[in-house]
Amino acid sequence: MTDKHWSSTQERGTTFGIQLLVWLYRIFGQWLFRLILLPVIAYFTLTGNKARQASYQYLRQVNAHTQNPSKIRWYHVYQHFYQFGLAAVDKIRAWLGDVTLDDVTFHNTEVFQQLRQQHPHQGAVFIGSHLGNLELCRAIGENDSDIKINALVFTKHALKFQAALEKFNPNAQLNLIQVDSLGAETAILLKDKVDQGEVVIIVGDRTSVTQYGRVNYADFLGKPAPFSQGPFILANILDCPTYLIFCLKQKGRYHIYLEHFADSLKLSRTDKKQQLQSIIQRYAKRLEHYCLIAPLQWFNFFNFWQKDDKAHISRSNINNNEK
């Protein structure tokens, strides 16, 4: 029996519902909003069967990898879902201007300084993930930095929240590059952005929406998981400095980690496959490192280790002739 691809999962909640949450936050503030979240998250925990199963699987994998003998219970899954809800609150706060640089701790400050020094002469690629709150980085950058940050998103996914926020802050939709797949046209557009000294953000922990098998398997939390080749091949094409970026919430503060990954991810013709495998494994290990710092801030609620082929997974929006 095949499992559904992550992109086939329907978003739960309407744009109006999200706008209502924003209004509640603006009227009552974040602390009452956190209380309102309690029954909302309980509902989603009870009714979200696929996501609940994925949470159990992931949390058990974390325990197995860290040799933690404790058993995963339903309240651990609830806590996992609740962290996702809190991340949504943080996105709202950031785009409404309620999160400032004073609320943020920047790690590896020398890397940030290097990035500023090369701006505006040279742009960069940031490879992020669905660990923590990458959206917060973009919101802070939009409000507090002279470096233009472009986020690559897929048109059919993850735009509902942005559309709702746009009603309250039009900047929430600024610099979103909406694509269906990573093709030549997208690469040319992004190359222009980078050449103008801008930053392009793309996540590295979601497989292709439209194609089977464009993945490399890398060890992640003790098991091989499929990681899309797309972000790393894109960085190869753009031929510019590449960084990894993570934003975690720790003890009430936002911690942004920016790591220099490579001056260029340009792949040689002779051993391209081996280089790509090595690069993706490096990314997976750094993702794992930060995942273990804040395991409940992992927001991939699907079978992350599912093999990416027709025998194991189905894409509802793929051409039947595709391999």
Side-chain angles (χ1 to χ4, degrees):
M1 182 178 179
T2 58
D3 199 359
K4 286 187 177 181
H5 188 253
W6 67 265
S7 60
S8 301
T9 303
Q10 296 295 318
E11 290 181 322
R12 303 184 72 190
T14 63
T15 301
F16 171 76
I18 296 168
Q19 289 175 358
L20 178 61
L21 292 179
V22 177
W23 276 112
L24 290 172
Y25 165 75
R26 296 186 74 177
I27 294 170
F28 298 109
Q30 65 167 315
W31 298 110
L32 186 57
F33 192 86
R34 285 169 179 245
L35 292 176
I36 295 172
L37 269 182
L38 292 171
V40 173
I41 296 301
Y43 169 78
F44 282 110
T45 304
L46 290 170
T47 60
N49 293 333
K50 286 286 187 181
R52 188 175 64 248
Q53 291 170 13
S55 177
Y56 269 113
Q57 177 197 37
Y58 159 74
L59 293 174
R60 286 168 181 153
Q61 193 61 40
V62 169
N63 274 8
H65 183 68
T66 57
Q67 298 183 334
N68 183 346
S70 62
K71 190 174 181 179
I72 299 301
R73 306 288 186 181
W74 67 267
Y75 50 83
H76 295 120
V77 173
Y78 178 87
Q79 290 171 344
H80 191 190
F81 278 44
Y82 188 68
Q83 287 298 316
F84 180 70
L86 292 182
V89 177
D90 289 337
K91 290 179 186 180
I92 293 171
R93 296 185 64 237
W95 281 114
L96 294 181
D98 293 344
V99 177
T100 67
L101 292 178
D102 292 335
D103 302 307
V104 179
T105 297
F106 290 91
H107 297 261
N108 307 326
T109 54
E110 71 282 357
V111 180
F112 285 94
Q113 187 60 35
Q114 178 189 22
L115 184 66
R116 292 188 184 98
Q117 287 174 351
Q118 68 190 27
H119 175 77
H121 309 292
Q122 187 177 41
V125 171
F126 286 3
I127 301 180
S129 67
H130 291 82
L131 173 70
N133 207 333
L134 187 62
E135 185 63 28
L136 193 118
C137 297
R138 195 172 72 88
I140 292 173
E142 192 64 51
N143 293 324
D144 296 288
S145 174
D146 60 349
I147 299 176
K148 188 174 180 181
I149 299 176
N150 305 277
L152 202 64
V153 296
F154 294 101
T155 51
K156 296 178 181 178
H157 308 282
L159 294 177
K160 191 179 292 183
F161 196 90
Q162 294 296 125
L165 286 178
E166 189 182 16
K167 299 290 184 181
F168 302 92
N169 182 352
N171 286 344
Q173 283 281 21
L174 283 180
N175 308 331
L176 283 180
I177 300 174
Q178 304 173 11
V179 297
D180 287 315
S181 60
L182 295 177
E185 185 177 344
T186 302
I188 293 170
L189 171 64
L190 298 180
K191 180 63 174 172
D192 288 341
K193 299 287 186 183
V194 168
D195 289 346
Q196 293 168 25
E198 299 177 13
V199 168
V200 172
I201 296 183
I202 185 170
V203 295
D205 61 342
R206 293 280 174 94
T207 54
S208 170
V209 171
T210 59
Q211 295 177 312
Y212 285 103
R214 298 295 177 89
V215 301
N216 280 45
Y217 289 87
D219 183 73
F220 179 70
L221 294 175
K223 284 179 63 177
F227 287 86
S228 176
Q229 297 171 350
F232 306 95
I233 292 176
L234 177 64
N236 157 66
I237 294 170
L238 298 182
D239 191 18
C240 64
T242 302
Y243 299 83
L244 304 185
I245 188 165
F246 302 92
C247 179
L248 305 178
K249 194 168 185 181
Q250 299 166 265
K251 297 181 179 179
R253 287 185 62 79
Y254 308 100
H255 292 253
I256 295 180
Y257 300 85
L258 185 68
E259 293 188 0
H260 179 264
F261 194 61
D263 289 330
S264 170
L265 286 184
K266 199 70 177 175
L267 301 171
S268 68
R269 295 181 179 179
T270 55
D271 59 346
K272 182 176 179 179
K273 288 184 178 179
Q274 292 85 345
Q275 281 184 302
L276 189 59
Q277 177 65 35
S278 176
I279 287 167
I280 290 176
Q281 183 61 74
R282 282 176 55 207
Y283 168 79
K285 278 297 162 188
R286 296 314 293 159
L287 179 62
E288 176 184 283
H289 169 78
Y290 288 104
C291 192
L292 293 177
I293 292 175
L296 291 180
Q297 293 179 44
W298 172 257
F299 302 136
N300 281 314
F301 292 103
F302 57 92
N303 183 355
F304 192 77
W305 290 269
Q306 183 65 281
K307 289 186 177 180
D308 192 70
D309 57 40
K310 288 185 178 181
H312 294 89
I313 202 161
S314 63
R315 286 168 166 82
S316 61
N317 53 350
I318 194 169
N319 189 308
N320 290 329
N321 295 322
E322 294 236 24
K323 295 182 180 179

